[in-house]
Amino acid sequence: MEGKEILILAIESSCDETAAAVVKDGRQVLSNVIFSQIDLHTVYGGVVPEIASRKHIEKINQVIEEALLSAGVTLKEIDAVAVTYGPGLVGALLVGVSAAKAISFATGLPLIGVHHIEGHISANFIENKELEPPFVCLVASGGHSHLVIVKDYGEYEIIGRTRDDAAGEAFDKVARAIGLGYPGGPKIDKLSQEGNPDAIHFPRAKVEDNPYDFSFSGLKSAVLNYLNSCEMKGETVNTADVAASFQKAVIDVLVEHSLAAVKEYGYRKFAIAGGVASNSSLRSAFRTECQKRGIAFFHPSPLLCTDNAAMIGSAGYYEYLKGTRHGFDLNAVPNLKLGER
Ligand code: KG4
Ligand code: ZN
C-alpha cells in the first residue's frame, strides 16, 4: 500500500544555528547535525547578525556533508531539499537558501522552502508517531509566541500572538538583568530550581481584545523595577527567587491562554514547540494541567525544541506530499507570515 520512502535533506540557518538533517517520511531522523554559534554571540549578550551570516557561510557545506554522511546516504538517494526561507535574520537565511538552491540546481532535486515556525510545530511529529492534526500548538521561541490551530499538515490558523516581546526574548532580557548572560532561557530554567516561584508577585498580563494574545514587556519592566528598587533600598537581590518568580509568571500566562484556547475550540490534543518549550517547569506545568483536563499533551525533546534542521525535514516532507515546489527565485523572507507562500 505504501509507496517509496521519501528522504528529505533539510537545511536551517535562520538565526545562530547552522543545521542540516536527513529525515525519512517526515518522522524518522536519519541524521541531525547542529553547529551552534552560541559561544560566538555570548560575549555580545545576543546574536550579532553579521557574525551569524559569516559563520553560516563557513560552516554550511561541512554541516550538510556531515548530515549526509551520518545518515549513510548520498544526494542520489535524496528526494527533495527543504530549507528555511523565513522568518529570521536575512543574511543568515540567505546562506541556507543559497546552499539549498545550489544543491537543487546541481542535482535537479525539487526545492521546498519551509516556514521556520512550521518547522518548530512539526518537531512534534518526530517523536510522537501517533500525533496527527488537528491540534492546538503553542510556539514559544526567541522570536515568536504564537497560539496556532494546526488544522491539517501545513494548514494553520494563528489565534493568538504576542503584542510585544516574545516569551524567549523576555527570558533573555531578564537573564541579562540578573547577570546570567545569553541565552537566558536555559540559565533561568536552571537557576529557578533553587528559587521560590512565589517569593515575588510579578504581573500576569491579559490583552484586552483577544484572550489568546500575549504581552510580556510589562512583566519584563516589573522585574527591572523590582531590581532597581532593591538597589535603591540597598537590599540584596535573591536572583534565584527573581528567576523562579519571573518564570512562574510566564508559565502561568502561557498555560492559561493555551488551555483556554484548547477548551474554546474543542480540541483534545495540545502540543508545545520552540526553544521555550524545552523549559522544564513549563513542560511539567502543561503535563499536569493537560492531565487534569483529559487533554493529550505532546512535546518534542529539548534538542528538537531549539533550532534544528530535523524539524524542517519533517515540515518539508508534508509540504513535498502537498506538492509544494519552489523555483530558483526562492528568496529569504525575514518577516514571512505563517501560511504565506
Ligand atoms: O526556537 P529557538 O531556538 O530560536 C528561535 O526561533 O527564536 O528559541 C530560542 C529561545 C531563546 O530565547 C532561549 O532563551 C529560549 O528559546 N530557551 C528557553 C530555554 N531554552 C531555550 N527558554 C526557557 N527555558 C529554556 N530551557
Ligand atoms: Zn526557532
Side-chain angles (χ1 to χ4, degrees):
M1 163 203 114
E2 296 286 288
K4 173 190 169 299
E5 287 169 349
I6 301 296
L7 291 189
I8 305 282
L9 169 66
I11 299 169
E12 154 65 42
S13 69
S14 65
C15 191
D16 59 349
E17 264 92 29
T18 321
V22 177
V23 177
K24 186 163 103 182
D25 292 338
R27 301 215 178 209
Q28 192 184 341
V29 178
L30 302 190
S31 65
N32 187 23
V33 180
I34 304 168
F35 172 78
S36 172
Q37 306 181 358
I38 279 177
D39 292 351
L40 285 175
H41 301 282
T42 302
V43 280
Y44 302 100
V47 177
V48 183
E50 180 67 18
I51 294 177
S53 315
R54 285 169 189 269
K55 204 66 192 173
H56 283 311
I57 293 175
E58 222 178 284
K59 286 284 168 187
I60 193 88
N61 287 339
Q62 185 191 329
V63 164
I64 294 170
E65 276 167 25
E66 257 180 65
L68 290 168
L69 200 70
S70 71
V73 298
T74 65
L75 281 173
K76 284 203 177 67
E77 289 143 273
I78 297 290
D79 295 280
V81 186
V83 62
T84 307
Y85 72 110
L89 302 169
V90 67
L93 287 163
L94 266 175
V95 178
V97 168
S98 307
K101 287 203 277 192
I103 294 170
S104 170
F105 183 71
T107 58
L109 287 172
L111 175 69
I112 301 168
V114 171
H115 192 288
H116 184 73
I117 298 298
E118 179 173 9
H120 273 303
I121 294 169
S122 304
N124 278 288
F125 296 134
I126 294 169
E127 291 156 316
N128 302 298
K129 309 288 181 206
E130 75 285 13
L131 175 62
E132 297 204 27
F135 58 91
V136 177
C137 187
L138 168 72
V139 187
S141 71
H144 311 270
S145 302
H146 283 354
L147 256 177
V148 181
I149 296 179
V150 183
K151 296 183 159 178
D152 201 345
Y153 295 106
E155 238 183 83
Y156 310 98
E157 182 186 343
I158 300 174
I159 56 168
R161 67 186 83 225
T162 182
R163 295 290 179 94
D164 37 61
D165 292 352
E169 198 178 345
F171 269 94
D172 294 335
K173 286 176 178 168
V174 166
R176 189 195 297 209
I178 55 176
L180 296 180
Y182 178 84
K187 293 180 173 149
I188 288 196
D189 192 349
K190 189 153 174 264
L191 183 62
S192 292
Q193 286 160 18
E194 295 155 30
N196 173 8
D198 301 314
I200 311 146
H201 184 80
F202 291 127
R204 275 86 169 140
K206 286 210 185 324
V207 177
E208 275 299 307
D209 48 346
N210 183 350
Y212 310 124
D213 275 355
F214 304 102
S215 166
F216 293 110
S217 75
L219 169 60
K220 174 196 65 193
S221 304
V223 175
L224 297 180
N225 287 342
Y226 174 82
L227 295 173
N228 249 339
S229 81
C230 287
E231 196 183 326
M232 307 260 274
K233 289 187 245 163
E235 291 171 6
T236 48
V237 174
N238 182 329
T239 49
D241 282 352
V242 174
S245 302
F246 157 77
Q247 181 176 276
K248 176 93 185 316
V250 175
I251 293 172
D252 281 355
V253 169
L254 293 177
V255 170
E256 193 191 320
H257 291 202
S258 302
L259 297 187
V262 174
K263 185 169 180 215
E264 178 67 25
Y265 284 82
Y267 291 99
R268 307 304 303 162
K269 289 185 262 182
F270 172 71
I272 54 173
V276 180
S278 60
N279 185 277
S280 52
S281 304
L282 176 116
R283 291 157 88 92
S284 68
F286 271 119
R287 195 172 298 120
T288 308
E289 294 305 317
C290 284
Q291 208 162 27
K292 272 191 209 158
R293 294 165 172 78
I295 296 162
F297 171 51
F298 301 89
H299 55 81
S301 59
L303 185 74
L304 294 176
C305 285
T306 45
D307 289 349
N308 65 86
M311 67 185 197
I312 304 302
S314 178
Y317 169 76
Y318 290 105
E319 290 294 340
Y320 177 88
L321 293 187
K322 280 183 12 184
T324 302
R325 304 289 184 269
H326 284 92
F328 294 129
D329 57 349
L330 180 70
N331 205 351
V333 185
N335 57 354
L336 184 67
K337 303 282 175 292
L338 192 63
E340 233 174 37
R341 293 266 168 255

